[in-house]
Amino acid sequence: MAANPMSQFDVYRIGPEIKVGVFDISFTNASLFMIISTVSILLIFNLGSKKNSILPNKIQLLAELSYTFVAKMISDTAGSKAKPYFAFIFSLFMFVLFCNMFGMIPYTFTVTSHIIVTFVLAAFIFIGVTVIGFIKHGFGYLKLFVPSGVPAVLLPLIVVIEIISYLSRPISLSVRLFANMMAGHTMMKVFGGFVISLGIVGGWLPLSFSVALTGLEILVAFLQAYVFAILTCIYLNDALNLHH
């Protein structure tokens, strides 16, 4: 009997049950891999920044390339006004990237394949960007929903569409990451099951698909972290510069 491809997304408790009122805050496999991802990021950048040599080692080179990559992304999409928010966007990008990449290792858990995780991240970004927008522009931030050059007769309809589009940001941001990670890992599990069930004689074709799909999923894991971060920069650009 083939293993259920959705079983890899099961969240289970590690250790004793911990409840605060009606809320279950027990330590789970999802919590474990969030901590592993965070510790790995801190370890790599701590080691990478210890020796600032002219000829960097691999860890220092990785740290410097990551820093430069995110700094250029912020500069290109949100401008110089977004520099104070570099630390948050950099942390966000690295956290999503490491969670995605750890999920590619067999017998691990993909944190970003759960909508609750991606939605909390997206909701935090949405609320933060909205607060920044009102702090910077006051009620003038509402001009974001009133595009310039729109005929007066169409303005009520356009404003409603713009508000709906704005409120849907956390949903689209979270679903994009969650759906891509879940779909890709499900496909990998399905093809892996075909390899086992078909055996040595017929398993070569699904095995070749599995290898190709693994390479594609590694690329998707990076791209989804990039898309998540760059959309955050675009939303931040709207809040800081009030562009439409």
Side-chain angles (χ1 to χ4, degrees):
M1 182 177 177
N4 182 0
M6 303 306 291
S7 62
Q8 62 181 310
F9 305 115
D10 291 344
V11 177
Y12 54 85
R13 187 184 304 114
I14 300 175
E17 182 181 8
I18 304 172
K19 280 196 171 183
V20 177
V22 296
F23 298 102
D24 187 348
I25 59 170
S26 304
F27 192 78
T28 65
N29 54 337
S31 309
L32 175 64
F33 280 96
M34 286 185 195
I35 292 174
I36 290 174
S37 298
T38 303
V39 171
S40 299
I41 295 168
L42 294 173
L43 185 62
I44 287 174
F45 284 94
N46 183 50
L47 294 174
S49 60
K50 272 189 174 181
K51 295 181 179 179
N52 294 321
S53 58
I54 298 175
L55 295 175
N57 56 32
K58 292 180 180 179
I59 296 179
Q60 184 182 336
L61 183 62
L62 175 63
E64 290 177 356
L65 286 175
S66 301
Y67 182 95
T68 305
F69 177 78
V70 176
K72 188 176 187 305
M73 176 176 62
I74 295 172
S75 177
D76 291 344
T77 54
S80 59
K81 290 183 180 179
K83 286 183 179 179
Y85 306 98
F86 170 83
F88 171 73
I89 296 172
F90 182 79
S91 301
L92 178 70
F93 171 74
M94 296 306 300
F95 178 74
V96 174
L97 177 63
F98 270 66
C99 286
N100 290 352
M101 290 301 182
F102 270 116
M104 295 301 302
I105 302 172
Y107 304 107
T108 59
F109 182 81
T110 311
V111 175
T112 47
S113 66
H114 279 257
I115 185 66
I116 186 61
V117 175
T118 59
F119 182 76
V120 167
L121 289 174
F124 183 81
I125 292 164
F126 174 77
I127 294 169
V129 166
T130 304
V131 169
I132 291 170
F134 277 107
I135 290 174
K136 291 288 184 181
H137 307 284
F139 286 102
Y141 185 58
L142 296 175
K143 292 179 182 177
L144 186 68
F145 307 117
V146 186
S148 58
V150 176
V153 67
L154 294 176
L155 195 58
L157 177 61
I158 297 299
V159 168
V160 171
I161 292 173
E162 290 293 333
I163 292 173
I164 293 173
S165 175
Y166 186 84
L167 294 177
S168 67
R169 283 180 174 183
I171 298 173
S172 62
L173 190 61
S174 59
V175 169
R176 182 184 291 105
L177 175 58
F178 141 77
N180 275 279
M181 299 311 299
M182 173 172 273
H185 281 69
T186 303
M187 287 296 295
M188 289 175 63
K189 190 76 171 182
V190 168
F191 278 108
F194 286 155
V195 174
I196 295 172
S197 61
L198 294 176
I200 298 176
V201 178
W204 293 104
L205 184 59
L207 178 62
S208 62
F209 274 111
S210 295
V211 172
L213 192 59
T214 300
L216 179 62
E217 275 302 293
I218 292 173
L219 177 62
V220 169
F222 172 80
L223 287 177
Q224 287 305 311
Y226 172 73
V227 169
F228 201 88
I230 202 168
L231 285 175
T232 302
C233 291
I234 292 171
Y235 300 157
L236 185 60
N237 179 55
D238 288 341
L240 294 174
N241 302 309
L242 206 60
H243 288 169
H244 198 285

